[in-house]
């Protein structure tokens, strides 16, 4: 059984290797942002919002972030302290991220939908000294949520900063914070191996985990992401960032602009109609999202006759991707490709827009530069090509452990290999197909059934808009296949229709759904992933 000492030793050995191979450097995010502002002063960040729009150049943002960094230092924050940011994709949130990197403060982006219970847990476990949020956004009254925080259980929380005209007792407004700024700010010395970001997984299980990244791990991802997103593009162009600010993909959307100067349009709330209009108006060259985002975008573009062909590529991931969706996007002129990663290891594999459609639709691409994967069995032994098993990964962009270090014990194998919890197989050409989550395997009468395989077949039925498949408890077989389906407008579907569809597809009878639940919506995380644990909880 692995120990924490072995995990630490493996991590240190890999760090030395990545320095030798120049995947890690002595540079910090502050160094990269300063150079980016000098090289690309006119690159723009456009914050699209119905209530809080803004726009700034990279040069303006760098100057403002220096001022903000001095204000944060004036209220007592310094290297190693944690500042929590529950701010949508607004200019203020981006500036806090940049200022914290300059100051050596750890940024903690929090998903905007998290309520007082989740925020209290995150603030307590992270040891955050400051918390920044809006007074109100859309239907969320953040001031009311602040009043519900268990402040007695948050002894390290000293500062609450509110973007708005009012602040709670003992708190500061955003303008009052900026008034603390000083004339000069000299950034402190920061190690590139210091933790600079802490993000709590918004995943499909009930308990979030605090994922820690260093300057080096994030910069390794940003450098690799530039190569991936620009693959196949005629030239680097404006990007559309639709992921929420508290999601790892939202953070990386900001980071890419700071380092590479790629102008970016950011949405503070997902609206498919707005997204289609923004792509057409700004001639967006690249974007990414979950299947939920892409389905909405294609529907909105078709309804309003929007032209999306300016997109050189659309990266889809962060959730199970049906091949039929990639094929539909291709027919609409959007060259879509799949990608695979997580908060812990942001981009493990990726396709590219110039690859064959069959590969883009049915696989999650090849391993990205400098990363490694293995496919292993339950004992951690390697499996042959073509055989599905758990995906384990490592690489310079891999996180450096959970905030609760005891969680590392079940997450790592000897050699620094991270256990993703996902099941997949490599084909002869090195393309990875992620087939399921280990916890999403349905065990019917002792036979393993992939919920993703069932979802992919059912997604091809003309009546099906969206589908999620889970295990339903069964007294005879242990578990049966249950499908939750959102129908397309104006159609119907029953279990007999589903059975005919699977028979026509030539799928084994055992994989055919034996229970059908028609729903208007699926429970989702802020990034669009389906919360399957909530679906399972409602089944009897």
């Amino acid at each position: 059984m692995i120990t924490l000492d072995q995990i630490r030793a493996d991590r240190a050995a890999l760090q030395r290797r990545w320095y030798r191979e120049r995947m890690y450097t002595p540079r910090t995010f502050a160094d990269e942002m300063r150079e980016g502002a000098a090289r690309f002063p006119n690159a723009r960040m456009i914050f699209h919002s119905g209530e809080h729009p803004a726009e700034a150049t990279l040069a303006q943002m760098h100057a403002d972030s220096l001022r903000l960094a001095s204000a944060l230092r004036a209220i007592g924050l310094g290297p190693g302290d944690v500042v929590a940011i529950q701010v949508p994709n607004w200019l203020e949130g981006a500036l806090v991220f940049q200022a914290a990197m300059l100051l050596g403060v750890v940024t903690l982006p929090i998903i905007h939908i998290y309520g007082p219970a989740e925020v209290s847990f995150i603030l307590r476990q992270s040891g955050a000294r400051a918390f920044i949020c809006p007074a109100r956004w859309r239907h969320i009254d953040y001031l009311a949520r602040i009043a519900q925080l268990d402040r007695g259980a948050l002894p390290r929380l000293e500062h609450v900063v509110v973007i708005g005209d009012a602040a709670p007792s003992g708190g500061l407004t955003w303008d009052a914070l900026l008034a603390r700024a000083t004339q000069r700010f000299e950034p402190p010395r920061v190690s590139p191996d210091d933790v600079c970001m802490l993000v709590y997984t918004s995943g499909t299980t009930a308990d979030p985990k605090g994922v820690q990244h260093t300057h080096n791990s994030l910069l390794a991802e940003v450098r690799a992401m530039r190569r991936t997103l620009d693959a196949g593009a005629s030239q680097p162009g404006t990007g559309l960032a639709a992921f929420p600010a508290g999601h790892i993909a939202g953070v990386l959307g900001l980071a890419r602009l700071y380092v590479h100067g790629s102008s970016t349009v950011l949405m503070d709330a997902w609206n498919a109609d707005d997204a289609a209009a923004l792509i057409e108006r700004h001639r967006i060259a690249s974007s990414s999202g979950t299947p939920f985002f892409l389905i909405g975008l294609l529907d909105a573009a078709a309804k309003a006759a929007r032209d999306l062909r300016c997109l050189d590529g659309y990266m889809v991931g962060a959730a199970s991707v049906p091949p039929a969706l990639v094929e539909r996007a291709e027919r609409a002129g959007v060259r879509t490709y799949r990608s695979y990663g997580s908060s812990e290891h942001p981009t493990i594999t990726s396709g590219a827009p110039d690859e064959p459609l069959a590969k883009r639709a049915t696989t999650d691409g090849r391993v990205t530069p400098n990363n490694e994967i293995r496919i292993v069995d339950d004992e951690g032994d390697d499996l042959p090509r073509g055989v599905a098993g758990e995906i384990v990964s490592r690489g310079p962009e891999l996180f450096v452990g959970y905030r609760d270090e005891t969680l590392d014990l079940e997450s790592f194998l000897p050699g620094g290999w991270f256990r993703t919890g996902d099941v997949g197989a490599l084909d002869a050409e090195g393309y990875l197909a992620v087939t399921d989550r280990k916890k999403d395997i349905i065990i019917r009468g002792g036979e393993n059934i992939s919920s993703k395989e069932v979802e992919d077949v059912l997604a091809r039925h003309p009546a099906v808009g969206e589908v999620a498949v889970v295990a339903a408890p069964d007294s005879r077989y242990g578990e049966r296949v249950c499908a939750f389906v959102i129908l397309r407008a104006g159609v119907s579907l029953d279990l007999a229709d589903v059975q005919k569809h699977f028979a026509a597809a030539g799928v084994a009878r055992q994989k055919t759904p034996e229970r059908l639940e028609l729903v208007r919506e699926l429970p989702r995380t802020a990034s669009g992933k389906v919360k399957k644990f909530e679906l399972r909880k409602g089944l009897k």
Side-chain angles (χ1 to χ4, degrees):
M1 183 174 180
I2 199 164
T3 65
L4 288 176
D5 284 342
Q6 182 177 354
I7 291 171
R8 296 184 194 112
D10 289 340
R11 191 171 291 143
L14 286 170
Q15 183 186 84
R16 291 191 295 270
R17 170 190 155 188
W18 292 328
Y19 268 112
R20 286 196 307 271
E21 296 175 1
R22 298 185 179 182
M23 299 176 202
Y24 280 0
T25 76
R27 296 174 66 80
T28 67
F29 236 106
D31 297 325
E32 296 285 351
M33 289 189 297
R34 185 166 49 249
E35 183 176 303
R39 291 178 62 199
F40 313 107
N42 297 318
R44 293 184 304 157
M45 191 175 278
I46 302 167
F47 297 87
H48 176 79
S49 170
E51 56 196 84
H52 199 74
E55 184 173 341
T57 66
L58 202 52
Q60 291 168 337
M61 292 185 65
H62 185 65
D64 289 346
S65 69
L66 287 168
R67 179 185 174 207
L68 178 57
S70 74
L72 293 173
R73 184 164 65 183
I75 64 173
L77 297 183
D81 289 332
V82 177
V83 57
I85 317 164
Q86 193 177 26
V87 179
N89 280 322
W90 287 0
L91 174 60
E92 292 86 349
L95 289 174
V96 174
F97 177 88
Q98 193 169 3
M101 292 293 181
L102 294 169
L103 190 55
V105 167
V106 179
T107 59
L108 168 54
I110 300 178
I111 294 289
H112 62 274
I113 62 172
Y114 279 1
E118 295 130 321
V119 172
S120 290
F121 168 79
I122 291 171
L123 294 176
R124 181 173 63 255
Q125 193 191 73
S126 67
R129 289 191 60 203
F131 175 52
I132 301 175
C133 68
R136 188 176 187 89
W137 176 63
R138 304 182 77 199
H139 65 280
I140 303 174
D141 185 342
Y142 284 96
L143 288 174
R145 289 186 173 186
I146 291 170
Q148 297 175 58
L149 293 177
D150 185 0
R151 295 297 293 269
L154 303 172
R156 290 187 57 81
L157 184 64
E158 300 174 26
H159 308 286
V160 175
V161 180
V162 175
I163 302 167
D165 297 328
S169 176
L172 290 170
T173 63
W174 180 259
D175 289 342
L177 171 63
L178 291 181
R180 306 287 185 96
T182 57
Q183 290 293 322
R184 296 177 61 85
F185 172 73
E186 291 295 332
R189 296 189 65 178
V190 175
S191 167
D193 298 313
D194 287 343
V195 171
C196 68
M197 190 185 74
L198 176 61
V199 59
Y200 277 76
T201 57
S202 61
T204 54
T205 56
D207 299 320
K209 301 175 181 179
V211 175
Q212 300 180 118
H213 278 282
T214 66
H215 295 267
N216 261 324
S217 68
L218 278 185
L219 285 170
E221 159 63 20
V222 169
R223 293 167 187 139
M225 182 170 61
R226 172 62 181 267
R227 289 190 294 270
T228 298
L229 289 179
D230 289 343
S234 55
Q235 60 182 21
T238 301
L240 175 67
F243 277 100
H247 188 276
I248 184 69
V251 172
L252 293 171
L254 288 175
R256 185 169 184 248
L257 169 69
Y258 294 136
V259 177
H260 298 303
S262 304
S263 293
T264 304
V265 180
L266 300 98
M267 301 180 69
D268 73 341
W270 173 248
N271 180 290
D273 294 329
D274 285 357
L278 289 168
I279 289 171
E280 194 173 55
R281 182 188 317 152
H282 295 282
R283 307 302 297 167
I284 299 294
S286 65
S287 189
S288 61
T290 64
F292 173 71
F293 291 166
L294 182 55
I295 290 168
L297 179 63
L298 294 173
D299 288 345
K303 180 178 66 176
R306 298 286 187 188
D307 185 357
L308 304 181
R309 288 174 296 176
C310 55
L311 282 170
D312 284 312
Y314 190 98
M315 178 193 288
V316 62
S320 175
V321 182
L325 176 58
V326 179
E327 293 162 359
R328 179 190 173 194
E330 186 79 1
R331 292 193 296 272
V334 179
R335 296 181 69 79
T336 298
Y337 57 99
R338 288 161 49 170
S339 176
Y340 168 62
S342 64
S343 297
E344 292 89 346
H345 197 158
T347 310
I348 300 172
T349 66
S350 180
D354 57 354
E355 291 179 330
L357 175 59
K359 293 295 187 184
R360 289 187 281 117
T362 63
T363 80
D364 298 277
R366 291 183 169 114
V367 178
T368 51
N370 305 324
N371 286 315
E372 304 171 83
I373 64 170
R374 294 164 52 209
I375 308 298
V376 302
D377 60 21
D378 289 341
E379 283 71 48
D381 295 323
D382 290 302
L383 292 167
R385 283 284 176 107
V387 177
E390 183 176 7
I391 304 162
V392 297
S393 68
R394 68 182 182 188
E397 63 199 59
L398 183 65
F399 78 133
V400 294
Y402 293 109
R403 195 69 166 181
D404 177 0
E405 197 177 27
T406 62
L407 296 174
D408 292 348
L409 291 170
E410 61 187 36
S411 302
F412 285 91
L413 295 175
W417 294 95
F418 173 61
R419 301 184 62 177
T420 66
D422 292 312
V423 176
L426 284 165
D427 68 15
E429 298 171 87
Y431 286 85
L432 176 72
V434 180
T435 56
D436 228 320
R437 289 287 297 171
K438 288 191 78 172
K439 292 181 180 178
D440 281 349
I441 295 293
I442 301 163
I443 305 175
R444 183 189 186 277
E447 182 177 354
N448 288 353
I449 298 171
S450 165
S451 62
K452 185 180 185 304
E453 181 184 359
V454 178
E455 289 167 352
D456 288 349
V457 173
L458 193 49
R460 294 184 181 279
H461 193 287
V464 174
E466 295 182 61
V467 58
V469 169
V470 301
D474 183 79
S475 58
R476 181 178 181 185
Y477 290 102
E479 294 177 343
R480 289 180 185 262
V481 179
C482 176
F484 287 80
V485 170
I486 299 175
L487 295 178
R488 294 186 182 275
V491 296
S492 61
L493 184 74
D494 60 24
L495 200 55
D497 297 326
V498 170
Q499 291 167 345
K500 290 177 184 177
H501 176 70
F502 273 74
V507 177
R509 182 177 55 81
Q510 292 89 342
K511 297 177 182 178
T512 303
E514 297 171 272
R515 180 169 173 177
L516 177 66
E517 299 287 335
L518 301 180
V519 295
R520 292 182 179 274
E521 60 183 7
L522 296 167
R524 298 181 185 276
T525 67
S527 63
K529 291 182 182 179
V530 176
K531 296 181 179 179
K532 288 194 172 182
F533 72 94
E534 288 195 8
L535 296 178
R536 285 190 289 264
K537 278 195 307 185
L539 296 174
K540 295 181 181 179

